[in-house]
Amino acid sequence: MLAEMRIKGLGVIDEATLHLHPGLTVVTGETGAGKTMVVTGLHLLGGGRAEASRIRAGAGRAVVEGRFRLARGGAALRLAEDAGAELDEDGSLIAVRTVGVDGRSRAHLGGRSVPVGVLGELSEVLLAVHGQNDQLRLLRPAEQRAVLDRFAGEAVATPLAEYRQVRARWLAVVAELTERTERSRELAREADLLKHGLAEIAAVDPQPGEDAELVAEARRLADADQLRELATGAQVAVSGAADGDPDAPGALGMVAAARRLLGASDDPALGELEPRLAEAATLLSDVGAELGGYLDRLEADPARLERVLARQAELKQLTRKYAADVDGVLAWARQAEERLAGLDTSEEALAALAARRDELAGELAGFAEKVTAARTAAAGELAEAVTAELAGLAMPHARIEVVVRPHEARPEEAGAVRVAGRWAHAGQDGVDEVELRLVPHPGAPALPVHKGASGGELSRVMLALEVVLADSDPVPTLVFDEVDAGVGGRAAVEVGRRLARLARTHQVVVVTHLPQVAAYADRHLVVDKVVGGAGVTRSGVRVLDDGQRVIELARMLAGLDSTETGRAHAEELLATAARDKAGAATPSSVAAGSGSAARRPGGRPRSGRRD
């Protein structure tokens, strides 16, 4: 969970620290005080886009710092460890995002500089921010399908993973068949060129490293006379002249003389040197013998030199065409053979590919049917659960329908596959389109939510979905930015109740203008705006005690925080919220008050809080 957040130089906020509750934290304040900057800070902390225009006037940079409490063995801890981050002394993880006036931003995690994308990966497992933009995303078909899949869990995830694996193989075969069919002439020409090259290489039959060996041999044959002279001189220096010329003694003779002189001495010190000279004599004898063998083998062989030069010419023809050396030529030949195997455009090869395509299409259709069946089953449960939540959100006659239908396609379209007797588009997420429809009251037609829901109704639909999906959402911290827009009266009280119920399994942070919602807070933060000298506006964040909460709620209710009526109404709101929360804390009332949304598909109850 997010234990603490510090904001500096962001918007109207000069410097503020938010201490967040593990349950429900509410952020309120007058319009323009800077409540939205709290959410902006959370977006930045989650790797969101940095805008220099958000930096406070006169500040050199904006800084957002968050302190997270991580669960042991969780995905967030693994991400931090992979990034080289270090935990603080109390075991918490500190993330920092800095934005300069030039628009450049930097990110730090656990004291280490990291790419901004690392904060984005971390936020995916720690933080989910829901605002009015998220309501707009809810209108997209892909987002609605994702909502259903989240609710269904493994029932959809397992067959969908298998579907994607088969689809990848199917697409590869389809692409290969298309390429071979449409480019048959071009591929045939390429195949002829490859065959010609392979035949040319096979005719020369180069061996690995042969070119380097031939260079060394050619140099030796060409320089035979010079090499003989050098080797003979070295042999004389080691072994002495062949005719025993005393004026040209060899190293062996001189060592032998030294051994005789040392042997004639009675001095032990000189006697110890004699064995070492014996070793030197042995080594010199070996070198002399090897030089003699080298001279025996060294012959000026013009015919062999001619053959070596001719072989070098053959290899050079290959290295000019295919690679820089013989090893590269052999590598080209291996690649050419592999490529040639994939260029078979014969009728037999195309028929085999077509048969493989159809076989994989059948497998794909089978998995697609499993995904559709799982989605259809989950759609009924999701619709029932969300409808039950809407009844508690002052929409008692409204009903949600979740429609799963095939994404129809024509047989000739790319990506079309026949599923259950109908042609459908096989996309990355299956062959289904999912649509959320709202029936606002009995007798009304079921319309897509973007057509059938007002702004306030759409807010309640999204909140109802979040409550229903709470148990299937692994993200421990949920942030709501004025999702209660367009809601008031009794519906506002019910929104507060639902958020408080979400806070039993998640950390919930809510930016709101509704006193009915704020009354349910476990911790109430208010953003204050103060106009100082020279007309400079500054905002800060403070925690309210019980008495201050009454004043703030009275202000939110009527704009008057000093009237007895306003305070009495605020106190009544707080008392009602306290009774609701106390009653919800008992197992029986939890079961009674949470309805179908308190259970996931399969009837599994919610788990406890996840930090």
Side-chain angles (χ1 to χ4, degrees):
M1 73 170 193
L2 180 62
E4 180 181 298
M5 184 172 73
R6 186 172 71 90
I7 301 174
K8 184 177 181 180
L10 188 63
V12 294
I13 297 180
D14 183 18
E15 186 168 1
T17 301
L18 288 74
H19 298 281
L20 305 175
H21 194 276
L24 176 59
T25 299
V26 166
V27 182
T28 64
E30 293 185 3
T31 300
K35 299 189 301 295
T36 302
M37 290 301 104
V38 174
V39 179
T40 300
L42 288 167
H43 274 295
L44 287 173
L45 207 57
R49 182 180 176 184
E51 297 182 12
S53 60
R54 296 288 191 178
I55 299 176
R56 177 177 171 79
R61 61 178 183 172
V63 180
V64 182
E65 178 180 312
R67 181 184 295 274
F68 293 92
R69 307 280 185 191
L70 304 184
R72 292 183 180 179
L77 185 58
R78 290 193 296 273
L79 279 171
E81 291 174 346
D82 291 343
E86 296 182 0
L87 300 183
D88 211 9
E89 294 178 355
D90 60 356
S92 60
L93 179 67
I94 297 178
V96 182
R97 182 80 181 277
T98 305
V99 183
V101 291
D102 57 359
R104 296 182 179 179
S105 72
R106 298 180 63 188
H108 290 81
L109 187 65
R112 295 288 299 274
S113 178
V114 297
V116 173
V118 173
L119 294 188
E121 294 176 8
L122 188 70
S123 72
E124 289 182 2
V125 296
L126 288 180
L127 202 64
V129 181
H130 301 281
Q132 296 186 36
N133 288 336
D134 297 270
Q135 296 179 22
L136 297 177
R137 285 202 298 270
L138 184 61
L139 306 182
R140 303 172 188 166
E143 189 69 20
Q144 295 178 9
R145 182 176 56 218
V147 165
L148 178 59
D149 288 354
R150 277 174 58 196
F151 179 78
E154 288 300 316
V156 166
T158 299
L160 183 58
E162 295 171 323
Y163 165 90
R164 286 171 174 165
Q165 292 176 359
V166 175
R167 178 176 177 269
R169 296 197 297 270
W170 174 68
L171 288 176
V173 172
V174 168
E176 185 177 355
L177 179 60
T178 301
E179 182 185 29
R180 291 197 194 186
T181 303
E182 295 180 352
R183 299 177 56 218
S184 58
R185 290 185 179 179
E186 180 183 345
L187 295 178
R189 286 194 298 270
E190 183 182 354
D192 288 342
L193 290 174
L194 291 175
K195 289 176 182 178
H196 174 76
L198 288 171
E200 189 173 14
I201 294 171
V204 176
D205 191 23
Q207 301 302 310
E210 184 182 1
D211 48 352
E213 294 175 2
L214 289 174
V215 168
E217 185 177 359
R219 184 180 294 117
R220 188 165 58 248
L221 289 168
D223 300 336
D225 292 338
Q226 182 182 1
L227 293 173
R228 178 177 296 281
E229 181 180 349
L230 294 173
T232 300
Q235 187 183 39
V236 169
V238 172
S239 304
D243 56 3
D245 183 358
D247 294 330
L252 275 170
M254 297 175 71
V255 169
R259 290 180 64 190
R260 287 194 298 272
L261 291 172
L262 293 177
S265 172
D266 294 331
D267 188 345
L270 293 177
E272 290 177 358
L273 298 176
E274 193 278 335
R276 294 165 63 183
L277 287 174
E279 293 177 6
T282 301
L283 179 60
L284 288 169
S285 179
D286 291 342
V287 172
E290 290 184 17
L291 286 171
Y294 177 83
L295 288 167
D296 291 340
R297 294 190 304 271
L298 185 63
E299 295 180 2
D301 188 348
R304 174 58 185 166
L305 178 59
E306 186 177 348
R307 291 195 300 271
V308 168
L309 294 176
R311 180 63 174 171
Q312 283 184 310
E314 290 181 341
L315 296 179
K316 196 170 186 64
Q317 289 181 349
L318 298 181
T319 55
R320 275 201 304 264
K321 291 183 179 180
Y322 304 108
D325 54 25
V326 166
D327 288 346
V329 171
L330 294 173
W332 183 91
R334 288 192 296 270
Q335 295 171 0
E337 289 173 350
E338 294 174 1
R339 175 61 177 161
L340 194 58
L343 294 179
D344 188 355
T345 57
S346 65
E347 292 184 4
E348 295 80 4
L350 296 180
L353 273 176
R356 179 59 178 159
R357 175 202 59 194
D358 296 341
E359 178 186 354
L360 288 171
E363 291 183 34
L364 187 65
F367 285 118
E369 288 183 31
K370 291 181 180 179
V371 173
T372 300
R375 281 177 174 156
T376 302
E381 296 182 27
L382 177 61
E384 181 182 351
V386 175
T387 298
E389 286 297 327
L390 290 179
L393 289 170
M395 295 175 65
H397 304 298
R399 188 177 81 252
I400 282 288
E401 294 181 359
V402 182
V403 179
V404 180
R405 60 174 183 266
H407 182 176
E408 295 185 357
R410 294 190 298 273
E412 65 275 11
E413 289 182 10
V417 65
R418 192 169 182 83
V419 181
R422 303 176 67 178
W423 287 96
H425 177 73
Q428 173 71 9
D429 297 308
V431 299
D432 306 315
E433 291 181 332
V434 176
E435 186 175 69
L436 296 181
R437 297 177 180 175
L438 176 67
V439 181
H441 53 80
L447 296 176
V449 288
H450 66 282
K451 294 181 179 179
S454 64
E457 288 172 336
L458 190 58
S459 296
R460 280 177 275 179
V461 169
M462 196 187 80
L463 181 58
L465 281 168
E466 282 300 330
V467 174
V468 170
L469 295 172
D471 192 45
S472 60
D473 195 340
V475 178
T477 300
L478 303 176
V479 181
F480 294 92
D481 178 22
E482 297 191 5
V483 293
D484 47 20
V487 178
R490 177 187 167 193
V493 174
E494 295 299 336
V495 168
R497 285 196 179 115
R498 262 55 185 182
L499 290 171
R501 196 168 84 204
L502 265 181
R504 296 204 298 272
T505 56
H506 293 68
Q507 181 187 38
V508 179
V509 181
V510 180
V511 178
T512 184
H513 65 281
L514 291 179
Q516 296 95 327
V517 172
Y520 282 86
D522 295 309
R523 178 168 296 161
H524 191 151
L525 305 179
V526 66
V527 181
D528 289 323
K529 179 172 65 175
V530 178
V531 179
V536 178
T537 301
R538 289 183 171 85
S539 289
V541 181
R542 57 191 174 90
V543 180
L544 301 184
D545 59 25
D546 291 343
Q548 293 168 330
R549 287 189 70 190
V550 172
I551 296 173
E552 173 66 7
L553 290 181
R555 180 199 65 77
M556 296 173 71
L557 282 164
L560 301 172
D561 55 10
S562 59
T563 65
E564 291 298 325
T565 303
R567 292 193 180 195
H569 194 178
E571 289 172 350
E572 183 180 357
L573 267 180
L574 288 170
T576 300
R579 285 194 300 271
D580 285 347
K581 289 163 67 177
T586 63
S588 59
S589 59
V590 170
S594 57
S596 59
R599 306 184 70 84
R600 297 182 62 186
R604 295 188 300 277
R606 295 177 195 264
S607 59
R609 180 181 309 285
R610 289 164 289 182
D611 296 333

